[in-house]
Amino acid sequence: MKTETLKECINIEHLGFSYDTEEPVLRDVNLYAVKGESIGLIGANGIGKSTLLKLLVGLDLNYSGKLEIVTHPMVKENVNHIREHIGYVFQDSDSQLFMTTVEEDVAFGPLNYGLDKEEVEKRVKYALSKVHLLELRKKQIYKMSGGEKKLASIATILAMHPDIILMDEPSVALDPKNRRVLINILNEMPQMKLIASHDLDFIMDTCERTVLMDDGTIIFDGPTEKIMHDREMLERHGLELPLRFQR
Amino acid sequence: MSKIEKNLREVKKLNELQMRDGILNGLHPVVKLVTTILYILALVSFPKYQVVPCFVMCIYLILLFNLGDLSIWDGIRRMKLILPLVCVVGIFNPFFDHTEITRVGIVITGGMVSMITLMLKGIYAVLASYILIATTSIEDICYALRWFHMPKILVTVILLIDRYFYILGEEAGRIMAAYKLRAPKQNGIHYKAWGPLVGQWLLRSMDRAEVVYESMSLRGFRGEFTYAGRKSFRWVDIAYLVFWCAVFYLLRYTAVLEMLGQMFI
Ligand SMILES: Nc1ncnc2c1ncn2[C@@H]1O[C@H](COP(=O)(O)OP(=O)(O)O)[C@@H](O)[C@H]1O
Ligand SMILES: [Mg+2]
């Protein structure tokens, strides 16, 4: 399966995409990311962040331009293979988690890959301990808090040993404590991460590199430190300075 | 609490029952399924006038309700939609079948007896199914069905329906709550609001169902569930099955009751 130890994770050139309407949601997006990077994807609501993430996991293949994940072009024949490398944490944990208990949900992916019992168990343990949910493994999902569900959905992805993790608005609906927990967990994870959010403080705490999107394309791509101080640029694109810089 | 929420809570309660660490919960799903089916087959095969041995088949239920630490009242309550139906099946028998069976003050006709037999059969079968459901998760039942080589497409459909059913329920609950908060004085939903509400409900449910499906396919789902509990049979499982087969056989095909009765007379 995963024999290649590649540096290149995401390679997008001139990516364009539109839903049924003519108005494109994405146009001429370029992004190159390598192993170990943590990238924040920021931009106002409805600007196409979620759409970009969905394209990256092959949930829609009607794009134009070039889209490669770990050097494999995103085409129908490659989708299954690519998905072994890339995990997607949905914004809505309630829909991402669909089994009865946490451990069943975490085991779902590994079981589908035909791993044997011991290996599945190992992965469940590994993933749950990474997000500090090992004691809750038997807990029913509907009894869990929003924060726990978010962590559980991250565990379902970690259990599949991805090289790349995509996250859509991970900090939404988390209280300060859970938010802090999540930040620490993300910072401990070695995988390449692409985190879509309009929570700039969260991005500051988790990503060294930030990509700003507006109008379906990338406006800025560079160090997080730099853009987060640029009030003029942020405001021009429908965002505000991170709370910690506001007075 | 709205009716929908109540029903959802019931589903969750059932889930909780299935998850417990009981003896019945731990039995092999195939064994449980087979025993339940055999029980129901034995039950329905009783001749229509054999009300006493048919009645005695309740030992299975009594033992299992105890063994599984289940409440029989909860069982009846949860099955309350189906139970009346199985009860009315034989309701007309007394009018058609006037064969005299015995006289205890009044004439007992064959119709009366067969009505009771039919009702017993119905109620017992429903309760036996309840025991199965309350101790076996849907995944386990589907695993057992696959074990019997039921086509995987069918089994997967059953599982997906189970998942989507839940989503439908949850969305319905949310919409109802939102509606009620803004129409507090109203009893039920105004007929004019039905159209948009149902439309919203289906759209939202479809959206969520799609996300669930996406989440599944992103985690390697290719149309067939891989079942975690690939269990092997243990001696308890075999013993359980053999025991009940013997009991059903004795009750159904031998005069074991009469023999027992004679021993005490
Ligand atoms: N399934 C869909 N069909 C049609 N349009 C969509 C769909 N999903 C999103 N859009 C539109 O695409 C644009 C980008 O949406 P999205 O990627 O969700 O933005 P973001 O995640 O940045 O808030 C929005 O204008 C939205 O209305
Ligand atoms: Mg979004």
Side-chain angles (χ1 to χ4, degrees), chain B residues 31-44:
Chain B
V31 165
K32 280 189 278 188
L33 185 67
V34 173
T35 316
T36 310
I37 291 171
L38 286 178
Y39 176 72
I40 292 173
L41 285 180
L43 200 61
V44 292

Side-chain angles (χ1 to χ4, degrees), chain A residues 29-52:
Chain A
V29 173
N30 297 287
L31 185 70
Y32 187 83
V34 295
K35 214 171 154 184
E37 276 192 296
S38 261
I39 305 176
L41 180 60
I42 63 174
N45 272 333
I47 222 66
K49 304 185 294 293
S50 305
T51 306
L52 178 57

Side-chain angles (χ1 to χ4, degrees), chain A residues 54 57 59 80 83 88 90 92 94-96 98-101 105 108-109 111-113 117 138 140 142-143 156 160, chain B residues 12-13 15-16 19 139 163 166 174 208 211-212 214-222 224-228 230-231:
Chain A
K54 284 194 177 173
V57 284
L59 286 175
N80 288 345
R83 283 178 183 170
Y88 182 25
F90 288 67
D92 176 16
D94 275 320
S95 307
Q96 171 149 26
F98 46 80
M99 302 293 276
T100 314
T101 62
D105 222 302
F108 182 84
L111 280 171
N112 274 328
Y113 285 137
K117 239 177 170 172
K138 300 268 181 207
Q140 278 134 293
Y142 79 91
K143 284 186 175 171
T156 64
M160 298 171 56
Chain B
K12 287 171 179 168
K13 285 260 172 61
N15 260 334
E16 252 163 67
M19 305 280 312
E139 284 88 7
R163 298 268 129 78
Y166 192 71
R174 273 186 220 182
R208 275 201 59 192
V211 177
V212 169
E214 283 175 351
S215 167
M216 284 165 55
S217 53
L218 286 182
R219 287 196 264 153
F221 180 69
R222 302 280 169 268
E224 189 185 12
F225 275 85
T226 317
Y227 302 99
R230 248 176 276 151
K231 300 176 191 167

Side-chain angles (χ1 to χ4, degrees), chain B residues 5 14 25 39 46 62 72 81 89 118 135 145 197 247 253:
Chain B
E5 275 173 59
L14 262 182
N25 302 61
Y39 176 72
F46 271 108
I62 293 173
I72 191 150
L81 276 182
V89 172
L118 261 177
T135 58
L145 292 175
L197 280 190
V247 172
Y253 291 109

Side-chain angles (χ1 to χ4, degrees), chain A residues 138-155:
Chain A
K138 300 268 181 207
K139 193 161 175 174
Q140 278 134 293
I141 282 159
Y142 79 91
K143 284 186 175 171
M144 296 172 58
S145 71
E148 286 168 349
K149 279 187 209 166
K150 181 57 74 186
L151 295 180
S153 49
I154 294 173

Side-chain angles (χ1 to χ4, degrees), chain B residues 22 25 51 79 83 86 112 123 136 177 195-196 252:
Chain B
N25 302 61
V51 64
M79 291 301 183
L83 280 175
V86 298
M112 292 173 177
I123 295 169
T136 321
R252 174 68 186 82

